[in-house]
Amino acid sequence: MDTIEAWTGRAACNLQAALRLSNERFANHLGVAVRTVAAWHQDPDMVPRSETQQILDIAYERADASVHRRFGLLSKPPSGPPSAQALRVAIAVVVRGDDVLLVRRRGDDTLTWQFPAGMVKPGAAAATVAEQETHAETGVHCAVRERLGERVHPVTGVIADYHLCDYLAGDAVNRDELENMAVAWVPRTQLNRFIPTDRIYPPITAALEGAA
């Protein structure tokens, strides 16, 4: 088992990913606020306070060997050519008045509601991908207002890069019938009826509550 000299937001998020816990469950596991975990995702270089360092030490020490192995792989990715980067996805949280834009994604025998998203290729800007993929999937033109942060997605394991976007123009239609079953504007206050609360990145909830 490796010794952690000092925990950072990035290291804490790697432990969360190794434990395979959502933000809410990881916060409960540590006994800290969900907003604390969200802050680690937003600022990977931050250094938690000494008491939080001790909490993370204990959580790491009590984890089993499989968690330690996964944590080691996440913390020390193998060296390789620049093209061998982690899979990153840009996600657009598009707001129009009191509504937010969702797509109903086809999966393996499942249909799930998600925000529009697209893979970020090497050299591409995530914010641009978020805008372009939203239009490609739904016909909606949007503009990124602010970056909400990133995390290792608790379900897919990819690096999810979230962007709050303003609606500009266009009718919401399903333009990618291979990937999506439907496209819809849903009330922000009812978002958890479409996406389980523990899967919603906490900064999204905060942004939607404050978005004009």
Side-chain angles (χ1 to χ4, degrees), residues 6 50 62 71 87 97 114 116 128 134-135 150 157 178-179 181 203:
S50 58
R62 290 179 176 175
F71 178 82
L87 180 61
Q114 302 176 21
T128 301
T134 297
H135 183 256
E150 68 178 49
L178 290 177
E179 293 288 337
M181 182 72 177

Side-chain angles (χ1 to χ4, degrees), residues 23-98:
N23 282 13
E24 184 174 341
R25 291 178 62 196
F26 188 48
N28 289 337
H29 183 72
L30 298 177
V32 301
V34 175
R35 64 177 178 272
T36 299
V37 177
W40 295 336
H41 286 282
Q42 287 186 288
D43 185 2
D45 294 322
M46 73 176 295
V47 178
R49 294 178 301 177
S50 58
E51 55 266 34
T52 306
Q53 294 272 337
Q54 294 174 359
I55 291 172
L56 288 163
D57 282 339
I58 293 170
Y60 178 66
E61 290 165 4
R62 290 179 176 175
D64 61 32
S66 63
V67 172
H68 293 157
R69 285 194 297 271
R70 287 195 294 270
F71 178 82
L73 290 172
L74 289 165
S75 302
K76 302 173 184 177
S79 59
S83 59
Q85 66 174 24
L87 180 61
R88 179 179 294 272
V89 174
I91 298 174
V93 183
V94 185
V95 293
R96 184 189 66 177
D98 292 328

Side-chain angles (χ1 to χ4, degrees), residues 35-208:
R35 64 177 178 272
T36 299
V37 177
W40 295 336
H41 286 282
Q42 287 186 288
D43 185 2
D45 294 322
M46 73 176 295
V47 178
R49 294 178 301 177
S50 58
E51 55 266 34
T52 306
Q53 294 272 337
Q54 294 174 359
I55 291 172
L56 288 163
D57 282 339
I58 293 170
Y60 178 66
E61 290 165 4
R62 290 179 176 175
D64 61 32
S66 63
V67 172
H68 293 157
R69 285 194 297 271
R70 287 195 294 270
F71 178 82
L73 290 172
L74 289 165
S75 302
K76 302 173 184 177
S79 59
S83 59
Q85 66 174 24
L87 180 61
R88 179 179 294 272
V89 174
I91 298 174
V93 183
V94 185
V95 293
R96 184 189 66 177
D98 292 328
D99 297 331
V100 62
L101 184 64
L102 297 181
V103 297
R104 196 172 192 193
R105 194 82 71 193
R106 300 179 190 272
D108 296 332
D109 301 321
T110 62
L111 292 171
T112 58
W113 287 100
Q114 302 176 21
F115 301 104
M119 184 169 62
V120 181
K121 297 179 180 178
T128 301
V129 172
E131 295 172 348
Q132 292 175 340
E133 287 298 317
T134 297
H135 183 256
E137 286 190 83
T138 71
V140 168
H141 292 277
C142 67
V144 170
R145 182 192 305 184
E146 64 175 303
R147 182 174 182 267
L148 298 176
E150 68 178 49
R151 66 169 173 173
V152 176
H153 196 278
V155 176
T156 63
V158 303
I159 298 175
D161 197 333
Y162 296 88
H163 300 266
L164 180 66
C165 303
D166 292 316
Y167 167 81
L168 297 179
D171 295 325
V173 295
N174 186 8
R175 298 180 62 180
D176 189 351
E177 295 185 357
L178 290 177
E179 293 288 337
N180 301 325
M181 182 72 177
V183 172
W185 290 102
V186 305
R188 287 187 252 167
T189 56
Q190 298 180 29
L191 181 59
N192 59 6
R193 293 179 55 189
F194 296 83
I195 304 175
T197 301
D198 64 352
R199 293 189 184 180
I200 300 175
Y201 184 42
I204 293 176
T205 302
L208 292 180

